[in-house]
Each structure stands twice: as structure tokens, then as C-alpha cells.
Amino acid sequence: MTQDTLNKQAAAVEDSSIEKSDLPKPQMKFATRAVHAGSPHDPVTGAVIEPISLSTTFAQTAVGAPVGVYEYSRSDNPNRSNFEKAVASLEGARYALAYSSGSAATANILQSLAPGSHVISVSDVYGGTHRYFTQVAAAHGIAVTFSGSIEVDINDLVRPETKLVWIETPSNPTLTLVDIRAVAEVAHSYGIKVVVDNTFMSPYVQNPLKHGADIVVHSVTKYINGHSDVVMGVAAFNDDTIYTRLLFLQNAIGAVPSPFDSWLAHRGLKTLHLRARAANENATAVATALEASSHVIAVNYPGLNSHPQRYIAIKQHRNGMGGGMISFRIKGGAEAAKRFCQKTNIFTLAESLGGVESLCEVPSSMTHAGIPRAEREAAGVYDDLVRLSCGVEDSEDLVADVLGALEAVAQEFPSKQ
Ligand SMILES: Cc1ncc(COP(=O)(O)O)c(C=O)c1O
């Protein structure tokens, strides 16, 4: 191949990459943005899928003049940056910053507050978030007040030093919803910022920034990556001051994801809309079957009309979707809940959620075991509560699996039915 041909090929690739870098337009729909945001063709080879950039350092032509925009991989690297652009696009945000876990995202946000700050949080946050608030943030001089009904209580709980309101909607594991706009309006009237943990819904079902939140966080480990093979976190927001502060802390604390994890999570994100729709469809079928079962005390699923805050799901979630997560109270107490999780064949007994495979667990003994019983039960996390994460398998098989396990448990605990 002559030099001339090589030059022409390079020019053609460059042209197409310029065209491609225009994609997606902000007005494009979710699925187009999921596939194309942060996904430029490689300008040198034309590779449609970005290469994994493992280099920890980037050459400079003169002191302080790097060849491209990158200098050192903790500060920024191509795979993380592309992933962050994709998440920002899907959350309708100007900025996103990725972390080595969802918990690291939480820690970075809490560390952005000065000692002496006060935070108001919903009571039934993820157990690890509760642990961070009560055992780590507290040691750094940050006080957290928990509320079981934040929309009602917020005015009474605000103090002069309150800087942040932390919402998880739906909450974990009771699937309680919070009206983000109602809380944000009150918080903003005091100059308080609102963070929403959107892990359970994913950016496909809910975009908290559009409802008035200032920061949205995700455990990427769950729906965004979606294949149970990466631990990662992300925060997205619009405000320049928040960006400057969190960008500084992302680099200074250094809890950043590897290029390989960023690449994997970005690959997972490209099919988020397909997986989220399938999980929603499956969870709707399973929740409906559970609600009709005589072996079940109560079902928590925001897609059911019986959910006490269904009206919030209708205004806050895409098409009123309920998502892929369900929790329910089984007849027979703690032992029945534990046995149920051993009797399913497709639902695997394991922590975590949001993957292509269905999972089940007992929060009081697993994910939420660290929360004192009285506090746990006040939030509705009883020993007989089972949490299900519906994957993307066939819905008929999932329904049969759950009903079969309920029947098997009922035979073991007949007196408690
Ligand atoms: C709602 C929610 N937020 C945050 C986290 C923490 O994320 P990670 O496990 O990626 O640190 C989890 C983990 O289960 C979670 O369920």
C-alpha cells in the first residue's frame, strides 16, 4: 500500500470520526444516546468499539503539554471519560464522574461537605449507605438525621448547618417512593442540595435531575453495567461548582475505576434500555402472581396499582414503570423467607441486583443485617421480607419458579399459612 493510499485512508477515517463525534444529538431518544454517547470511532484505526486504554501515563511534547487531553490515568483516562459522557447523556446531565464503587461515589459526595455539616436522609437507605452515614461520616463531624417520611418532615428537620438531603427512590428494600420534586422544592428554599440514589430504577426508568435533584448517584454495579461482573459507581449533575469540587475529590481521594471496568460498564450501558424493559416486564408478571398468592402477606412493587405511592411512579418513572425489583412478606416468618430463597431454581440466592440473571435474598439477614432491628422494622424491613431482582429470563419461567418455591415452603410450614 502506497503512502498516498494510507494518507487517504487516514483522512477518510478522520472525516467519518468527525461526523460520528456529532452523534448523538441531545434531542435524540434514550436508546440512540445509550448506544452512541461517548462512543466515537477511533480516529486512527476507525475501530467502531473504543480500544481499552491501559496506559497509566500519557506522553507530553513539552513540560505541561500532553499530546492529547490525558496526563495520568487516575486523573482521567479515555475509557472512564467516554463512560462518564454516556452516563451524563442518559441522566440529562452536563457532567458525570465515575468511581470505583457506588459506595465510593457516596463517600466522595459526603467528603465534599465541611465538618459540622448536617444531612437529612430517608430511613431505608441501602445498608452500606447507612453504615457510611453513621460510622464514617459521623467520625468526620457530619451528622445525619434519618426520616421515615421525608416529604412531611423535611421542614422540621432542617437546621442552619443542613447542606444535603439524601433520597433513595425507590428505597431498598421496601420500594417506598419519594416525590423528588416535592422534597427538592423545600430543600432549595433553604439552599440545601438534593442527592438521589437512582440505582434501583436506572437512568432508563427515572431521571432525578429532571425532577429537581442536584446530584444523581448510581451503583453502576447494578443496572448500568447489568452483567454482575463490575463494581463501580457514578454521580451526575449540572452545577459547575459541584463539578469542580467533586472532580478535585475524585482525583485527590483516588477511588477511581480501572479502564477495563469503565469499558465493560460502558458496553453494558449500551443495552440498558433493552434490559430495563425486560426486567420491568418480568417483575410485573412476578409481582402480579405474588399478589394473588395465599402464601404472601404483602407485595411491594411500584408497578402495581396497590402500591401506596403508585401516583408518584406514574409521574416520576418512564411510562409509570415499576422497574425490576420486588420485595414481599412471606407467610411463615424468618425461616420461611430463608427457605424460599433455597427453594427457587432460577432465582439465585445472592446479594446484589440489576443483572441479567434473577436473584433473591433476605434483607434482614443479608444486605440490611447491620441496621438495628427496631430501626429496620420501623422502615418495614421485617425478618419475613424477601427481595427479588428480576433478570431478563422468560417471564413464564420466573413466575413458575416463584410460585413453585412458595408452594414448597408452605408445605414445610403448614401451621403458619
Ligand atoms: C441502592 C444502592 N446504592 C448504593 C450501593 C453501593 O454500591 P456498591 O456496592 O457499588 O458500592 C448499593 C449496593 O448494593 C445499592 O443497592
Side-chain angles (χ1 to χ4, degrees), residues 100-106 125-129 166 168 170-172 197-200 217-222 230-233 352-353 367 387:
S100 53
S101 67
S103 305
T106 303
V125 277
Y126 162 63
T129 305
W166 192 281
E168 226 179 272
S171 66
N172 176 15
D197 185 333
N198 197 24
T199 299
F200 266 41
V217 295
H218 287 274
S219 168
V220 170
T221 318
K222 314 300 178 337
V230 169
V231 173
M232 239 174 97
S352 203
L353 60 117
T367 47
R387 188 184 80 177

Side-chain angles (χ1 to χ4, degrees), residues 108-162:
N108 272 255
I109 292 167
L110 266 288
Q111 292 202 23
S112 72
L113 303 177
S117 300
H118 173 242
V119 176
I120 302 170
S121 168
V122 292
S123 318
D124 44 354
V125 277
Y126 162 63
T129 305
H130 188 276
R131 181 176 53 214
Y132 190 88
F133 286 170
T134 52
Q135 295 182 45
V136 186
H140 290 245
I142 292 167
V144 183
T145 305
F146 294 95
S147 165
S149 47
I150 203 160
E151 289 108 324
V152 181
D153 294 348
I154 180 164
N155 269 303
D156 298 334
L157 298 177
V158 169
R159 302 181 194 166
E161 62 276 18
T162 308

